[in-house]
Amino acid sequence: MFATRQISSIAKRAFSTSTSSNAAKVAVLGAAGGIGQPLSLLLKQSSLISHLSLYDIVNTPGVAADLSHINSNSKVSGHVPDNNGLKEALTGCDIVVIPAGVPRKPGMTRDDLFNTNASIVRDLATACAEHCPKAHILVIANPVNSTVPIVAEVFKKAGVFDPKRLFGVTTLDVVRASRFVSEVKKVTTEEAKITVIGGHSGVTIVPLLSQSGHSFTEEEVKALTHRIQFGGDEVVKAKNGTGSATLSMAFAGARFTNSLLEATVAGKKNVVEPTFVKSEIFAKEGVEFFATNVELGPNGVEKIHPIGQVNAYEQGLIDAAVPELKGNIAKGKAFIVKA
Ligand SMILES: NC(=O)c1ccc[n+]([C@@H]2O[C@H](COP(=O)([O-])OP(=O)(O)OC[C@H]3O[C@@H](n4cnc5c(N)ncnc54)[C@H](O)[C@@H]3O)[C@@H](O)[C@H]2O)c1
Ligand SMILES: O=C(O)C[C@H](O)C(=O)O
């Protein structure tokens, strides 16, 4: 009893209270986890964040206390479920990033996480729809191809869905693609900007190497494509049962969040990031969400870039991705619509 009360009072405490009006309240849900902690550390460095609100079912008071000693200007608060912790974490939020959920172990697909993560994401989305219906929602929790439709359906049910403000975070795929291509072509990562479209799992991850400006042998294309599509498996295998990518994901999640902050808070123009959003590109094929490069603006999605020119090999990859994506999206949607 004493311990619970003590945790609650610490949990509600906000630290380092300097704020700026030209900055946003950003919540990280799952903030005490493998991604959540380094992501929160990276976001603590942003001058475009006035309040970093950390929520998890455990341990956020400690994470918040620790981060609050960093002398950047944002306030940090830590919240757990006690005493309306989720409501407090979310109220007034401009951006909510969701890495809450279980990660893969070797031998699992991302879809194998659905049974656990679908309800976690549904419940967090329900709270967002109630307490910060206008916030931009950035979904990291896997399987992204299904969890993004879950958030959409929850927001639709609550009558607050704005497709311009819902993003599946696929940034790690382009981060990996850039790194892997830079190694093969012996160029800097700035010289290896790779467009990746589709979704975020296996064959739904479609790198468009032909648009990179580099030339590749057929073997290089096949090897790079496979490595980009299954890069997550490399990390899962190397971590040997202790989780999946956390540090590179924190880097990628911070990159996307910072780009959105630049577009929404700082008014920067021509901010483009790849992301899995509601899109017309394959809507006729029944694919409601699709990742392409997206221009971000003050209200979130400003302009969805077309796929552009692809070669026959890439067209084959797209043809394999579309039916898989359709099934993943339908599964997420059905989880809410029939509930
Ligand atoms: N989109 C991507 O590119 C990408 C990349 C890497 C990992 N992921 C996914 O991100 C998720 C998290 O990975 P991780 O390595 O950080 O896992 P983790 O287990 O280290 O951390 C997850 C955190 O979520 C918390 N949590 C669980 N249920 C919660 C709830 N209802 N409310 C709030 N918090 C809750 C846990 O307490 C834990 O701290 C996984 O689903 C993983 O597959 C996605
Ligand atoms: O591979 C995973 O399960 C985590 C993540 O989706 C990744 O791409 O690293």
Side-chain angles (χ1 to χ4, degrees), residues 252-324:
R255 168 175 145 176
F256 187 79
T257 310
N258 284 328
S259 290
L260 189 61
L261 284 163
E262 283 176 346
T264 53
V265 177
K268 192 172 166 188
K269 304 277 181 222
N270 301 318
V271 179
V272 175
E273 286 287 353
T275 170
F276 186 68
V277 293
K278 189 163 161 55
S279 169
E280 289 304 311
I281 291 179
F282 285 103
K284 281 202 187 90
E285 286 79 357
V287 174
E288 203 176 321
F289 297 87
F290 196 81
T292 49
N293 283 329
V294 171
E295 187 182 323
L296 304 171
N299 297 308
V301 174
E302 186 78 25
K303 189 174 161 209
I304 294 176
H305 287 201
I307 291 173
Q309 206 169 358
V310 299
N311 62 26
Y313 179 75
E314 292 160 350
Q315 187 58 52
L317 297 177
I318 294 170
D319 293 345
V322 165
E324 176 84 10

Side-chain angles (χ1 to χ4, degrees), residues 30 32-36 55-58 99-103 113 117 120 124 140-142 144 169 172 200 244-246 249:
I35 296 167
Y55 176 82
D56 201 302
I57 50 177
V58 287
V102 294
L113 303 172
N117 289 353
I120 293 174
L124 293 173
I140 292 174
N142 271 316
V144 167
V169 181
L172 183 53
H200 179 68
S244 56
T246 53
M249 182 58 234

